[in-house]
Amino acid sequence: MKISDIIVYKVKPRWIFVKLTTDNGLEGWGEMISGTKTETVVSGAYEIGKTLIGRDPNEIERLWQEMHRSFFRGGPINGTIISGLEMALWDIKGKALGVPVYELLGGAARDKIRVYSWIGGDRPSDVAEQAKQRLDLGFTAIKMNATSELHYIDSYKKVQAVVDRVASIRDTVGDELEIAIDFHGRVHRPMAKVLAKALEPYHPMFLEEVVLPENWDSFDDIAREVAIPLATGERLYTRWEFKELFSQGSVDVVQPDVALCGGILEARKIAAMAEAYDMAVAPHAPYGPVALAATLQLDACTPNVFIQEQSLGIHYNQGFDLLDFVKNKEIFQYKDSYVQLPTQPGLGIDMDEAKIKDVAQQGLVWTNPKWKNYDGTIAEW
């Protein structure tokens, strides 16, 4: 069996799908992140993907090493390209052997996978009603953005607004929902300490990206201020970028993104390193259906995963949602905040390629929103 073709699709709202085909007709799907510059990712996917033509898709580790170990390596562009192609390779291998991918990575470590649901928190900010809706749907945990733009030092009025939003959830649903709060790297260290301390009485499940990942040394300062688990990792790629977090010991939850960090096996290696440091894993996955299907394979065989992000109904999905390009929609059926382990071969997802082709003709232009502070300086999104 040899890889014979590659095709990349750009689809709304912000997803890039890649399909590898073999000479015996098997197809493997992967997903890449468009927020890292869509056209650059697509061009790079063809450039790197064409090196796989004629190769044996079963040799995933060998092919991963070849794709990763260029002279200039790492970074979000290379990271998401390699991740998407690696997912597709696993999809092919699982289909060839007739088993889900997690069966090739040690087998199931759990019976089911807990998931949480996104609500707003920034724009939209009316979170109490959204939280009640998620509780009524059976979810036991939610995640929300903490705040919109914040300057290096900003008014306590903005901090109080965050506290009021979280308090409104507690007033509406009590302790029936666990609340993860995402700072999204928007908060600089001086305000991060203030905001984290102010949120402590509301017992968040974790605080995510309290500072940008390049300011990893600040996690130590904030961890000494609050007794809330700290989480980060969605913007880090490969196990080498996670090393600092492990050795520092201030972060409690790592969040590798299977569509960025290097793929399924690389995320599994990162999770194994985290397990050795007694750290939890909550994989980042707010994107499309292939990325989530791949992440569920990771979850199934990884004992220190405790909860999974998923994007159904997320406020970023404008025009199309998680299930719109999937034929076997039941694989993402949530009951009482859990999803069942995948059972179909490969990634377990049956993509609607006809619809993908149709929507891809509409084009895709998606970039991160551009925010500014009150004085015109650039703010983090």
Side-chain angles (χ1 to χ4, degrees), residues 182-356:
D182 189 357
F183 286 28
H184 215 253
R186 298 169 181 170
V187 188
H188 299 280
R189 186 179 72 161
M191 295 304 295
K193 293 191 293 184
V194 175
L195 185 55
K197 194 70 175 178
L199 290 169
E200 194 168 26
Y202 300 93
H203 307 125
M205 180 167 59
F206 57 78
L207 300 179
E208 180 174 333
E209 278 202 322
V210 290
V211 292
L212 287 168
E214 56 260 39
N215 297 324
W216 65 269
D217 48 325
S218 295
F219 284 112
D220 200 35
D221 297 333
I222 297 165
R224 285 196 294 265
E225 294 287 331
V226 296
I228 306 172
L230 301 182
T232 197
E234 69 183 68
R235 303 190 221 195
L236 303 179
Y237 19 87
T238 77
R239 71 206 90 145
W240 292 279
E241 285 223 326
F242 280 83
K243 279 200 305 184
E244 297 286 2
L245 294 180
F246 296 138
S247 61
Q248 182 193 41
S250 298
V251 170
D252 307 286
V253 183
V254 292
Q255 299 173 295
D257 189 320
V258 168
L260 178 71
C261 75
I264 297 171
L265 183 56
E266 187 65 16
R268 183 66 187 89
K269 292 175 180 179
I270 292 165
M273 293 172 70
E275 185 181 8
Y277 284 87
D278 202 23
M279 296 167 69
V281 180
H284 183 253
Y287 303 111
V290 185
L292 180 57
T295 309
L296 294 179
Q297 300 292 333
L298 166 72
D299 299 335
C301 62
T302 306
N304 52 333
V305 168
F306 75 101
I307 201 163
Q308 176 58 56
E309 181 174 28
Q310 53 83 33
S311 71
L312 187 62
I314 195 172
H315 52 295
Y316 300 129
N317 291 351
Q318 300 294 322
F320 295 94
D321 211 333
L322 189 69
L323 301 178
D324 290 338
F325 298 106
V326 181
K327 292 181 179 179
N328 56 334
K329 303 181 192 303
E330 68 277 3
I331 67 168
F332 299 137
Q333 183 175 354
Y334 311 130
K335 182 179 179 181
D336 298 328
S337 211
Y338 288 92
V339 64
Q340 295 303 306
L341 301 191
T343 58
Q344 297 301 308
L347 298 183
I349 193 167
D350 185 8
M351 298 298 287
D352 188 344
E353 190 169 9
K355 184 166 186 177
I356 292 170

Side-chain angles (χ1 to χ4, degrees), residues 108-129:
R110 65 184 70 246
D111 299 324
K112 54 188 177 180
I113 302 164
R114 189 184 182 201
V115 297
Y116 63 81
S117 182
W118 258 98
I119 59 176
D122 51 2
R123 299 165 185 166
S125 60
D126 52 335
V127 292
E129 181 57 33

Side-chain angles (χ1 to χ4, degrees), residues 131-208:
K132 178 65 165 58
Q133 291 172 359
R134 300 308 190 273
L135 181 63
D136 291 343
L137 289 171
F139 287 99
T140 61
I142 55 173
K143 189 167 81 174
M144 60 180 283
N145 281 319
T147 182
S148 54
E149 55 269 73
L150 276 181
H151 219 315
Y152 280 83
I153 300 291
D154 215 317
S155 71
Y156 197 82
K157 181 179 179 181
K158 290 186 178 179
V159 173
Q160 189 61 50
V162 177
V163 172
D164 290 345
R165 285 194 287 274
V166 177
S168 73
I169 297 175
R170 287 286 179 237
D171 291 341
T172 302
V173 302
D175 293 324
E176 294 300 308
L177 282 177
E178 294 188 66
I179 308 171
I181 303 175
D182 189 357
F183 286 28
H184 215 253
R186 298 169 181 170
V187 188
H188 299 280
R189 186 179 72 161
M191 295 304 295
K193 293 191 293 184
V194 175
L195 185 55
K197 194 70 175 178
L199 290 169
E200 194 168 26
Y202 300 93
H203 307 125
M205 180 167 59
F206 57 78
L207 300 179
E208 180 174 333

